[in-house]
């Protein structure tokens, strides 16, 4: 069957044409005369208005379906109204019309059946298929009144329309995916989104193609406030997603939960309930620590940041590092060891750890762990705990001392700070200006290369699907799919972020990533200039990634070092002064 058959405009034209033919023929039929009597001026005017309304309805049916006012209740009322009208018509038709139908009656029934078929290819309001069966039944019944054997003709006609409708659904599934995504991206283009991700590829299974289609179509339905269609897609999604399946199935499970949370307005509760720093049963380490071990995004980012700090601090005897989201402090384990091996002896290191997700005692435990490591490697060390939100940080929280070379670390944290799109206070830029006022020797920035900060919902959904597809595929390289630890890591860390990006808006949406170009503008406006990273560092990183997969790539451009998975940039790392 040709692709032209799936074109919406063709079926829209067929729908209008068949409705016009059906209305004209019905007005000329003997059935109309028997039911409503002979024509007069009032009946002509009334039928003309009614016919015009029907033609407008079928022509703009698809537009009405995507209207924000066409909610689930309205659609239910419309379905009940259609059911009532057809039932009342059937009652009076059976009661009044006992003669054999004429040609106009037959043509009108066939035309209305074709109109219903056309409607079913354009809208999903719940009654169009029933309407098709109703008119097909009327058509067969009228043929049987003429001659019983003509039921075969009616059944053949009905069978052909039903089979055509089924074929159209199968034929248009892949094509519809292309159109949904391309049309939507034309409305809200997102430069960070790879459109080819959503197109069917020869290497993809039918399941993966169907899963992507249903995810995108469900998000589009939610964006259009088409709740009925969204619920249908969610039912279909539940049949194919799996937290222990291939990357697309696992990601699909969490993307679907994000869509459900958006419908139920529960995204913020889920985000707060999932604790990525919660200790696991495996040695008491957290899910986030385990994620750092299996996901090279973090190893790459920390390696770049540590390399820039080590390079900037050559020859310095007293070093102060301010880490604005220290977490468990795992980033500094290798740097302390590197400083311990420095010719001429290690410097004195002081780390200020800022993290509002931890209590003062928990932060001090991180400090104790780092102090123990520094003691083992004979590195003079101090730790200053600052259990305060980065939004509330002031100069006195940072413990800056004269005579110390200062390094500031923003690793995977600035995207959590609200900017001008969330609050007039614009903590994101305020924090950068505060850091610049400290005159640091180096400031490191590591962020996911994703554009979800100010993007509207549907574009943000596509960007998230694109980004995390690459991320889940990369995790497959390092950990088996059926391993329980991997499932827990993805649920507590990655699913948490995905749900927040998809389901939340306003201040509740904490995960607000920006592309490096935007970060570069922010740093430049705050007065920073780029600090070039060593080429030796890039070589070390490339060597590290090659040990995992050839799909990883490292590229240096626009003043940053990017880590890519295949053709998708995952992380951008840069340094500033």
């Amino acid at each position: 069957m040709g692709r032209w058959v799936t074109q919406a405009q063709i079926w829209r034209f067929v729908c209008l044409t068949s409705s016009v033919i059906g209305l004209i023929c019905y007005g000329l039929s003997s059935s109309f005369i028997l039911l409503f009597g002979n024509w007069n001026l009032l009946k002509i005017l009334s039928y003309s208005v009614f016919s015009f309304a029907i033609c407008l309805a079928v022509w703009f049916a698809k537009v009405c379906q995507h209207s924000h006012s066409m909610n689930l209740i309205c659609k239910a009322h419309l379905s009940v109204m259609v059911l009532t009208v057809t039932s009342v018509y059937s009652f009076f038709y059976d009661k009044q019309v006992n003669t054999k139908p004429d040609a106009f009656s037959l043509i009108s029934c066939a035309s209305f059946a074709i109109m219903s078929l056309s409607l079913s290819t354009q809208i999903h309001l719940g009654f169009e298929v029933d309407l098709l069966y109703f008119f097909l039944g009327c058509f067969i019944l009228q043929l049987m009144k003429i001659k019983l054997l003509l039921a075969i003709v009616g059944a053949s006609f009905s069978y052909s329309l039903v089979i055509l409708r089924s074929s159209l659904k199968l034929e248009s599934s892949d094509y519809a995916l292309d159109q949904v995504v391309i049309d939507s991206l034309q409305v809200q283009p997102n430069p960070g989104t790879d459109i080819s991700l959503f197109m069917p590829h020869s290497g993809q299974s039918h399941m993966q193609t169907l899963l992507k289609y249903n995810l995108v179509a469900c998000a589009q339905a939610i964006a259009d406030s088409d709740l009925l269609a969204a619920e249908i897609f969610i039912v279909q999604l539940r049949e194919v997603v799996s937290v222990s399946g291939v990357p697309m199935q696992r990601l699909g499970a969490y993307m679907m939960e994000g869509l459900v949370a958006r419908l139920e307005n529960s995204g913020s509760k889920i985000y707060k309930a999932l604790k990525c720093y919660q200790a696991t049963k495996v040695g008491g380490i957290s899910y986030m620590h385990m994620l750092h071990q299996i996901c090279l995004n973090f190893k790459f980012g920390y390696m770049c940041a540590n390399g820039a700090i080590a390079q900037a601090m050559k020859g310095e005897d007293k070093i102060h590092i301010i880490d604005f989201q220290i977490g468990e402090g795992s980033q500094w384990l290798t740097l302390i060891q590197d400083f311990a091996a420095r010719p001429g002896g290690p410097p004195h290191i002081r780390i200020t750890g800022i993290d509002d997700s931890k209590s003062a005692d928990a932060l001090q435990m991180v400090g104790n762990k780092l102090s123990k490591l520094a003691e083992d490697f004979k590195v003079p060390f101090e730790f200053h705990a600052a259990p305060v939100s980065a939004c509330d940080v002031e100069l006195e929280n940072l413990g800056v001392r004269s005579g110390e070379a200062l390094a500031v670390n923003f690793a995977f944290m600035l995207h959590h700070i609200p900017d001008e799109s969330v609050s007039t206070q614009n903590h994101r830029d305020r924090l950068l200006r505060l850091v610049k006022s400290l005159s640091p020797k180096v400031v490191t920035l590591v962020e996911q290369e994703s554009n979800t900060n100010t993007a509207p919902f549907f574009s943000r959904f596509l960007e998230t699907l694109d980004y995390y597809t690459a991320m889940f595929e990369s995790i497959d390289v390092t950990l088996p799919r059926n391993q329980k630890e991997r499932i827990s890591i993805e649920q507590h860390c990655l699913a948490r972020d995905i749900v927040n990006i998809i389901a939340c808006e306003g201040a509740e949406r904490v995960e607000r990533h920006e592309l490096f170009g935007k970060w570069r503008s922010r740093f430049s406006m705050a007065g920073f200039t780029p600090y070039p990273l060593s080429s030796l560092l890039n070589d070390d990183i490339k060597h590290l990634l090659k040990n995992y997969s050839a799909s990883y790539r490292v590229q240096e451009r626009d003043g940053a070092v990017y880590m890519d998975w295949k053709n998708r940039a995952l992380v951008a790392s840069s340094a500033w002064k």
Side-chain angles (χ1 to χ4, degrees):
M1 188 180 297
R3 279 288 174 92
W4 65 271
V5 182
T6 63
Q7 295 293 328
Q9 290 300 324
I10 291 177
W11 282 109
R12 195 180 183 195
F13 176 76
V14 170
C15 189
L16 178 64
T17 303
S18 57
S19 63
V20 170
I21 294 173
L23 288 165
I24 292 174
C25 289
Y26 184 71
L28 298 174
S29 68
S30 58
S31 301
F32 183 91
I33 303 298
L34 290 171
L35 280 173
F36 302 104
N38 293 322
W39 284 100
N40 56 39
L41 183 60
L42 179 61
K43 289 179 182 178
I44 292 174
L45 289 174
S46 300
Y47 191 72
S48 298
V49 171
F50 173 77
S51 300
F52 182 70
I54 293 295
C55 291
L56 282 179
V58 299
W59 183 251
F60 293 106
K62 192 173 183 66
V63 177
C64 293
Q65 175 185 247
H66 293 301
S67 170
H68 290 286
S69 61
M70 182 62 75
N71 56 29
L72 193 60
I73 300 300
C74 291
K75 292 174 183 177
H77 288 166
L78 186 59
S79 297
V80 171
M81 184 184 72
V82 171
L83 174 64
T84 303
V85 170
T86 53
S87 299
V88 170
Y89 175 81
S90 297
F91 173 78
F92 284 104
Y93 183 87
D94 292 340
K95 186 176 181 180
Q96 299 292 335
V97 182
N98 297 314
T99 60
K100 292 182 179 181
D102 57 11
F104 288 121
S105 296
L106 292 174
I107 294 173
S108 66
C109 275
S111 298
F112 288 142
I114 295 172
M115 177 197 73
S116 303
L117 170 65
S118 304
L119 277 177
S120 70
T121 65
Q122 302 177 71
I123 61 174
H124 306 283
L125 298 179
F127 65 82
E128 56 278 352
V129 178
D130 294 332
L131 208 58
L132 170 64
Y133 294 151
F134 171 78
F135 285 118
L136 288 176
C138 290
F139 182 69
I140 295 174
L141 182 62
Q142 290 189 12
L143 285 173
M144 291 174 67
K145 285 186 176 182
I146 298 174
K147 192 172 184 178
L148 194 60
L149 286 177
L150 288 178
I152 299 174
V153 177
S156 300
F157 176 75
S158 301
Y159 178 78
S160 63
L161 290 191
V162 172
I163 291 299
L164 176 60
R165 180 178 177 273
S166 300
S167 301
L168 285 171
K169 290 181 67 178
L170 292 174
E171 181 76 16
S172 63
S173 60
D174 289 343
Y175 176 74
L177 170 61
D178 299 359
Q179 290 303 114
V180 166
V181 177
I182 292 174
D183 290 347
S184 301
L185 289 177
Q186 286 175 344
V187 175
Q188 292 290 350
N190 190 338
T193 302
D194 180 9
I195 301 177
S196 64
L197 165 71
F198 311 105
M199 308 305 182
H201 298 294
S202 58
Q204 292 180 338
S205 67
H206 176 70
M207 178 275 295
Q208 289 175 294
T209 300
L210 180 63
L211 176 52
K212 286 182 181 179
Y213 166 68
N214 283 344
L215 282 171
V216 174
C218 185
Q220 180 68 75
I222 293 175
D224 293 337
S225 299
D226 189 349
L227 303 185
L228 179 60
E231 293 292 345
I232 292 172
F233 283 120
I234 287 171
V235 170
Q236 295 174 349
L237 284 168
R238 292 193 188 280
E239 296 178 357
V240 290
V241 299
S242 170
V243 296
S244 59
V246 298
M248 194 63 232
Q249 284 181 297
R250 304 196 318 262
L251 174 59
Y254 304 131
M255 298 288 287
M256 181 195 70
E257 291 305 326
L259 293 172
V260 172
R262 186 175 182 88
L263 289 173
E264 297 177 351
N265 197 27
S266 60
S268 183
K269 293 180 181 178
I270 295 174
Y271 185 73
K272 293 175 181 177
L274 294 172
K275 305 293 185 182
C276 56
Y277 284 104
Q278 178 178 315
T280 67
K281 297 179 181 179
V282 184
I285 60 177
S286 71
Y287 294 112
M288 183 59 75
H289 181 82
M290 295 173 68
L291 178 63
H292 289 183
Q293 300 304 309
I294 68 170
C295 184
L296 292 190
N297 290 21
F298 300 96
K299 288 185 178 181
F300 165 82
Y302 291 160
M303 196 171 181
C304 288
N306 288 354
I309 293 173
Q311 179 181 329
M313 296 300 171
K314 284 183 179 179
E316 297 291 347
D317 295 327
K318 293 183 178 181
I319 299 172
H320 181 197
I321 300 173
I322 300 176
D323 188 349
F324 271 90
Q325 186 170 305
I326 194 166
E328 295 176 321
S330 55
Q331 177 178 350
W332 309 117
L333 300 179
T334 55
L335 186 63
I336 290 174
Q337 296 176 53
D338 290 342
F339 277 130
R342 193 167 79 169
H348 180 279
I349 301 174
R350 188 162 64 94
I351 293 180
T352 294
I354 301 171
D355 199 327
D356 65 332
S357 66
K358 294 179 178 294
S359 64
D361 291 340
L363 264 180
Q364 196 55 55
M365 289 178 63
V366 174
N368 293 340
K369 180 178 69 174
L370 295 176
S371 297
K372 179 66 170 62
L373 178 73
E375 182 181 351
D376 292 342
F377 283 88
K378 297 180 173 53
V379 176
F381 184 82
E382 287 183 61
F383 183 80
H384 172 226
V388 60
S389 168
C391 294
D392 301 325
V393 164
E394 299 293 346
L395 181 60
E396 55 267 23
N397 301 121
L398 303 178
V400 177
R401 300 174 187 170
S402 61
E404 293 179 329
L406 180 62
V408 177
N409 183 57
F410 291 118
F412 302 104
M413 66 78 52
L414 269 181
H415 68 272
H416 289 147
I417 308 301
D419 69 347
E420 66 278 5
S421 67
V422 181
S423 168
T424 54
Q425 294 177 300
N426 191 2
H427 291 293
R428 191 171 291 191
D429 290 341
R430 182 194 71 84
L431 189 59
L432 292 181
R433 291 193 297 269
L434 173 63
V435 169
K436 180 59 181 176
S437 70
L438 304 177
S439 301
K441 287 202 70 174
V442 66
V443 177
T444 54
L445 171 69
V446 184
E447 280 292 344
Q448 292 95 326
E449 185 66 1
S450 182
N451 186 18
T452 62
N453 183 21
T454 58
F457 163 67
F458 186 66
S459 294
R460 194 167 73 239
F461 180 89
L462 295 180
E463 172 74 352
T464 304
L465 180 57
D466 186 13
Y467 181 86
Y468 280 94
T469 295
M471 193 168 183
F472 273 67
E473 287 178 356
S474 68
I475 290 176
D476 246 28
V477 175
T478 56
L479 211 59
R481 292 174 186 170
N482 59 352
Q483 190 165 333
K484 291 183 179 179
E485 288 79 6
R486 183 200 54 72
I487 297 174
S488 297
I489 293 167
E490 290 179 350
Q491 287 178 338
H492 283 81
C493 299
L494 302 184
R496 178 177 185 260
D497 293 351
I498 290 169
V499 169
N500 184 259
I501 294 170
I502 295 174
C504 298
E505 297 293 348
E508 290 185 343
R509 182 153 59 85
V510 180
E511 305 294 331
R512 292 178 168 271
H513 306 102
E514 292 184 320
L515 299 175
F516 175 70
K518 182 63 176 179
W519 291 119
R520 182 176 55 199
S521 298
R522 291 188 186 277
F523 272 74
S524 297
M525 287 189 294
F528 290 99
T529 56
Y531 184 94
L533 298 175
S534 169
S535 58
L536 293 176
L537 174 63
N538 294 343
D539 293 339
D540 291 341
I541 293 171
K542 290 178 182 178
H543 180 71
L544 168 70
L545 297 180
K546 281 183 179 179
N547 292 332
Y548 287 90
S549 172
S551 296
Y552 283 112
R553 293 189 304 172
V554 175
Q555 298 187 55
E556 187 174 0
R557 62 180 185 272
D558 304 326
V561 180
Y562 293 82
M563 186 188 78
D564 300 351
W565 173 262
K566 298 178 180 177
N567 295 320
R568 170 75 208 208
L570 292 179
V571 180
S573 182
S574 60
W576 304 81
K577 60 182 179 179

